[in-house]
Amino acid sequence: MSSTRQRVYGYLAEFKSASALYKAAEKVRDAGFKQWDCYSPYPIHGLDGAMGIKRSVLPWFVFCGGITGTATAFTLAYSTQVVIFPTVVQGKPANIFTIPAFFPIMFELTILFSGFTVLFGLLSLIRLPRLNHPLFASHQFHRATDDGFFIAIEARDGNFSTAGTRDLLEEIGGSNIELVAEED
Amino acid sequence: MASPIQHASEASHSRPILPVLEREKLILSGRSYHWITARICGVLENQQPLLWWLLFIPSALIAAIGVGGGLFYLVSTGVGVWGNTNRVMWGWPIVNFVFWIGIGHAGTLISAILFLTRQNWRTSINRAAEAMTIFAVMCAGIFPAFHVGRVWMAWFLAPVPNANAIWQNFKSPLLWDVFAVSTYFTVSLIFWFLGMVPDLATIRDRCQPGIRKIIYGILSLGWRGGNRQWSHYEMAYLLLAALSTPLVLSVHSVVSFDFATSVVPGWHTTIFPPYFVAGAIFGGFAMVLTIMVPARFIYGLQDLITMKHIDNMAKIILLTGTIVGYAYLMELFVAFYSGAIYEMDAFKFRIAGPYWWAYAAMMTCNVIAPQVFWSRACRENLWVVMIVAMFVNVGMWFERFVIIVTTLARSWLPGDWKTYAPSAADQILFIGTIGFFLSLFLLFLRFLPCINIAEVKWAKRESDPHYEDHVEHPDPGVIKEPAYQHELAQLSAQKPAIGNLEPQLSIPQ
């Protein structure tokens, strides 16, 4: 136990409500911090602006995924039905006029590929899954998924200082301020 | 809190006073965030009530015998054990397929369409409805997979080169159906799972260290609830809702193409896609009510799934039921107006032929029964709501029976005419899927959060970061009229309804 080194993750402070968290976030943002986050049991609308976070880029990923799906379905249907193996069923044509009959599958694969892009795009953007995180070492952080509102400022941020950051968190109304450390 | 009348009199000299209907509370009794967490997680953390076992054991047995045994018998003997004939080649298996896939529509409708239209009341019921979607589509998938005849060759449906060097017919609605249903299942599963990640993290954080914590920890992917995660997460949820909205409308449209694109009297109509979609939503909501009304009662979720939720669902059933009724009548009118004798005969046969009882059951259950929901007293009486929901469940099954069996039993050549009857194997498998569906749903209640914890918390008014600012500056020019719930509270004080047995629980700290 004594030989274990501790690596400081940062400060964790609790706020009493969503409103308090929102106002505190604006102040942390204005103090110039970059490596920090607000933790809440549900998404707080408007907090992105208060934290200075840009709009998510996920839609662009999904757009590309969707287009890939459309192209895949079209290529699959057209190449097999018209080019490789023209199947004449019920006298329906096997040429360029067949394309309208491919629309349902083109639509479905667009949605399918987009759906997978949402899942994997999201996971890569939020850097999950991961099995552990330094914040899980905190004795109060489990309340962030229940009824706690927290701000964590990370030690790797350039503006971080042991005394100054603590003072800032106290000043903006944080309580239960805790220095979170993980075993190195 | 100052009286609203007082505000009004202060402001009366400056501008006209407008009465504004106060917005409904979606969570009753002012429950705290912690109460919400504890109550929803309690459903899966506490020992299950005896009723759970009383429902689960028979359901699981029926599923094992019906689906397990039924399919074993079917595969080991051959599809001849079903009642399908040369003429009625679809019969019960496809009736049941369309029935189950229809039920699967309410979940995604609640999750996606009501999300896009900002209907915040969806938050209390979307999780269970999505679960129901997944399980209903699983039940539905069994039927076409085995209906192909040789189930070990069902992979021929997949667009991969096979031994015969023949590719799938991409012009066929049946192949569209394969793509539509499998996409629907996959995207619904992603939607359901992603929606559950924050709640699984809540359960993980409440677990004592041990195997449970590890399992929920892995399922929750290490979710922390930071706004940098929520920001992307909310976007992902919005995107999935936007993708699922056309998807849910497309799935039953494509199912209806199976019928509408074939040149068969009674099927070959353009009304089929909207009619099928409305019917699917109708049947799906009935199943949501069938399941959620008892569940909210058993697990004491009355403050989260309120009478307002049930009222809204009853109204949707009324609306979609009326659309379905319109479609039934419009089909008759178009058959008459077309002047085509085969079309007219097909409908005469449906109404007055040997299957008249199925048509009558469909009309009674789907069109007449939901009309009681015009009356508020009926929407507020949970017994009436349950009985109507049961009627709709039955009626929607009969609708598919009417569409498939009565049409196929009379083809163009009188020599083909035949009366269809399901075999015992048909019936056992169908009853088995009901057991399968119920046991999956009960397992869901046992192991997963049945209400969306994060979204229900979000739906509380205090969750708005500007809530406190609003409280400090009330608009003096507005009289707030009491919402529906105030009236309801007075109503239930007079005659206690079954759903309101527990609203006086003390608020835990």
Side-chain angles (χ1 to χ4, degrees):
Chain A
M1 182 77 191
S2 57
S3 64
T4 315
R5 284 196 308 164
Q6 300 268 304
R7 186 211 297 262
V8 171
Y9 172 75
Y11 271 118
L12 184 69
E14 194 191 347
F15 292 83
K16 68 179 194 320
S17 66
S19 305
L21 185 70
Y22 184 90
K23 284 165 193 153
E26 290 177 322
K27 288 173 188 146
V28 177
R29 174 197 65 193
D30 294 343
F33 285 97
K34 295 281 173 244
Q35 306 293 336
W36 65 290
D37 207 350
C38 295
Y39 296 89
S40 56
Y42 57 87
I44 298 174
H45 289 185
L47 201 54
D48 291 1
M51 285 180 68
I53 302 181
K54 288 200 198 91
R55 189 184 153 89
S56 173
V57 295
L58 191 59
W60 294 106
F61 290 17
V62 176
F63 177 73
C64 298
I67 293 290
T68 314
T70 320
T72 308
F74 179 78
T75 314
L76 183 67
Y78 192 83
S79 62
T80 58
Q81 294 295 286
V82 180
V83 182
I84 303 174
F85 199 100
T87 329
V88 180
V89 182
Q90 298 175 333
K92 288 174 192 163
N95 53 33
I96 197 159
F97 297 106
T98 323
I99 292 173
F102 302 153
F103 287 173
I105 289 179
M106 284 161 68
F107 172 77
E108 300 298 343
L109 282 199
T110 309
I111 301 286
L112 183 67
F113 279 51
S114 308
F116 277 119
T117 323
V118 170
L119 177 65
F120 294 113
L122 174 69
L123 291 182
S124 58
L125 284 172
I126 62 178
R127 299 203 173 80
L128 291 183
R130 56 183 290 171
L131 289 172
N132 204 356
H133 190 274
L135 276 174
F136 292 148
S138 157
H139 66 272
Q140 56 180 345
F141 187 68
H142 64 94
R143 288 189 42 233
T145 55
D146 180 5
D147 59 355
F149 299 89
F150 295 95
I151 286 184
I153 301 182
E154 294 180 37
R156 63 192 165 113
D157 192 292
N159 289 351
F160 185 88
S161 68
T162 321
T165 307
R166 190 187 176 93
D167 289 346
L168 173 78
L169 285 170
E170 250 168 26
E171 190 186 311
I172 60 180
S175 57
N176 295 334
I177 299 174
E178 179 189 0
L179 189 66
V180 180
E182 62 174 332
E183 287 180 9
D184 197 21
Chain B
M1 192 181 129
S3 135
I5 308 298
Q6 201 183 334
H7 283 303
S9 59
E10 283 165 13
S12 57
H13 61 277
S14 53
R15 56 181 168 133
I17 298 161
L18 305 170
V20 171
L21 197 64
E22 204 175 322
R23 194 167 272 281
E24 299 280 348
K25 281 203 183 96
L26 294 170
I27 293 128
L28 300 184
S29 314
R31 299 305 192 185
S32 67
Y33 294 126
H34 183 69
W35 186 90
I36 295 171
T37 312
R39 179 48 67 98
I40 299 171
C41 294
V43 171
L44 59 108
E45 286 166 353
N46 299 337
Q47 206 177 4
Q48 291 298 315
L50 181 66
L51 192 59
W52 189 89
W53 290 102
L54 289 180
L55 287 169
F56 180 72
I57 293 171
S59 304
L61 277 177
I62 290 172
I65 296 167
V67 178
L71 289 179
F72 180 79
Y73 175 61
L74 178 86
V75 173
S76 56
T77 318
V79 281
V81 299
W82 273 343
N84 301 356
T85 59
N86 278 351
R87 196 52 234 153
V88 187
M89 69 288 180
W90 280 3
W92 265 41
I94 303 301
V95 171
N96 298 336
F97 161 69
V98 183
F99 171 72
W100 279 119
I101 206 93
I103 284 177
H105 276 59
T108 312
L109 179 100
I110 292 171
S111 329
I113 299 181
L114 298 186
F115 179 78
L116 292 184
T117 51
R118 297 284 185 266
Q119 298 295 307
N120 293 344
W121 58 275
R122 64 181 269 289
T123 55
S124 299
I125 49 169
N126 70 339
R127 172 71 43 74
E130 283 169 38
M132 206 192 71
T133 292
I134 308 275
F135 304 147
V137 176
M138 284 164 76
C139 289
I142 293 171
F143 291 100
F146 286 85
H147 188 261
V148 297
R150 299 185 176 121
V151 68
W152 53 94
M153 287 185 169
W155 65 274
F156 271 35
L157 293 166
V160 288
N162 62 43
N164 303 326
I166 298 174
W167 284 88
Q168 288 69 30
N169 179 13
F170 285 89
K171 300 184 286 278
S172 163
L174 296 177
L175 195 72
W176 302 348
D177 220 10
V178 173
F179 278 85
V181 172
S182 48
T183 301
Y184 186 55
F185 181 73
T186 315
V187 174
S188 300
L189 196 64
I190 293 174
F191 205 0
W192 187 54
F193 173 68
L194 270 189
M196 211 149 42
V197 164
D199 294 354
L200 291 168
T202 303
I203 298 172
R204 172 201 67 199
D205 290 345
R206 287 168 60 87
C207 285
Q208 297 303 319
I211 186 79
R212 254 174 80 86
K213 196 173 181 91
I214 293 171
I215 292 171
Y216 283 112
I218 290 170
L219 285 176
S220 66
L221 308 173
W223 178 261
R224 298 190 299 282
N227 193 51
R228 286 174 204 276
Q229 291 184 336
W230 279 122
S231 174
H232 291 301
Y233 178 88
E234 286 262 273
M235 181 56 82
Y237 205 82
L238 178 67
L239 284 166
L240 278 179
L243 293 168
S244 303
T245 299
L247 178 66
V248 68
L249 299 179
S250 85
V251 176
H252 229 50
S253 299
V254 168
V255 171
S256 80
F257 290 159
D258 294 346
F259 303 93
T261 57
S262 34
V263 190
V264 173
W267 283 3
H268 194 58
T269 57
T270 48
I271 201 174
F272 261 35
Y275 154 34
F276 268 52
V277 171
I281 293 165
F282 177 58
F285 267 96
M287 190 56 95
V288 174
L289 279 175
T290 310
I291 283 179
M292 291 313 283
V293 170
R296 90 192 254 278
F297 183 64
I298 294 168
Y299 293 107
L301 303 170
Q302 285 93 337
D303 284 342
L304 302 174
I305 303 169
T306 66
M307 290 307 287
K308 176 67 188 166
H309 291 98
I310 292 168
D311 185 71
N312 281 352
M313 286 194 273
K315 283 175 182 161
I316 290 183
I317 287 184
L318 174 61
L319 171 72
T320 47
T322 312
I323 295 175
V324 166
Y326 168 81
Y328 293 160
L329 298 180
M330 190 46 76
E331 268 188 329
L332 297 182
F333 173 74
V334 169
F336 155 76
Y337 194 64
S338 69
I341 52 164
Y342 297 103
E343 197 71 25
M344 284 193 266
D345 263 16
F347 283 94
K348 272 184 208 154
F349 179 72
R350 274 189 194 177
I351 297 169
Y355 300 109
W356 66 269
W357 43 270
Y359 194 83
M362 170 185 100
M363 276 292 190
T364 318
C365 296
N366 290 352
V367 186
I368 298 167
Q371 300 305 319
V372 302
F373 283 152
W374 286 105
S375 144
R376 186 196 229 171
C378 290
R379 297 197 302 269
E380 276 161 12
N381 186 326
L382 291 177
W383 290 108
V384 175
V385 169
M386 278 301 278
I387 289 167
V388 172
M390 287 317 241
F391 264 103
V392 174
N393 289 333
V394 173
M396 285 313 287
W397 188 88
F398 272 107
E399 180 197 296
R400 280 65 181 247
F401 181 87
V402 166
I403 292 173
I404 292 172
V405 172
T406 64
T407 307
L408 290 176
R410 285 290 180 279
S411 68
W412 300 96
L413 296 173
D416 280 345
W417 293 0
K418 204 165 181 192
T419 312
Y420 168 83
S423 72
D426 274 312
Q427 296 168 22
I428 287 168
L429 184 58
F430 178 56
I431 294 167
T433 53
I434 297 174
F436 185 56
F437 177 77
L438 281 179
S439 25
L440 286 175
F441 196 83
L442 289 162
L443 288 174
F444 159 73
L445 288 176
R446 170 70 187 80
F447 290 110
L448 294 170
C450 62
I451 291 184
N452 195 327
I453 305 173
E455 282 195 17
V456 164
K457 287 176 185 167
W458 172 82
K460 268 170 74 78
R461 261 182 259 175
E462 302 88 291
S463 301
D464 180 358
H466 304 298
Y467 173 75
E468 287 172 11
D469 308 339
H470 285 242
V471 170
E472 285 158 20
H473 308 288
D475 184 350
V478 167
I479 303 178
K480 285 206 170 166
E481 279 191 358
Y484 167 84
Q485 277 157 0
H486 293 253
E487 294 173 53
L488 188 66
Q490 286 161 5
L491 214 81
S492 57
Q494 290 157 12
K495 52 173 178 60
I498 186 172
N500 287 337
L501 286 178
E502 210 202 359
Q504 283 89 27
L505 272 182
S506 63
I507 302 168
Q509 296 307 308

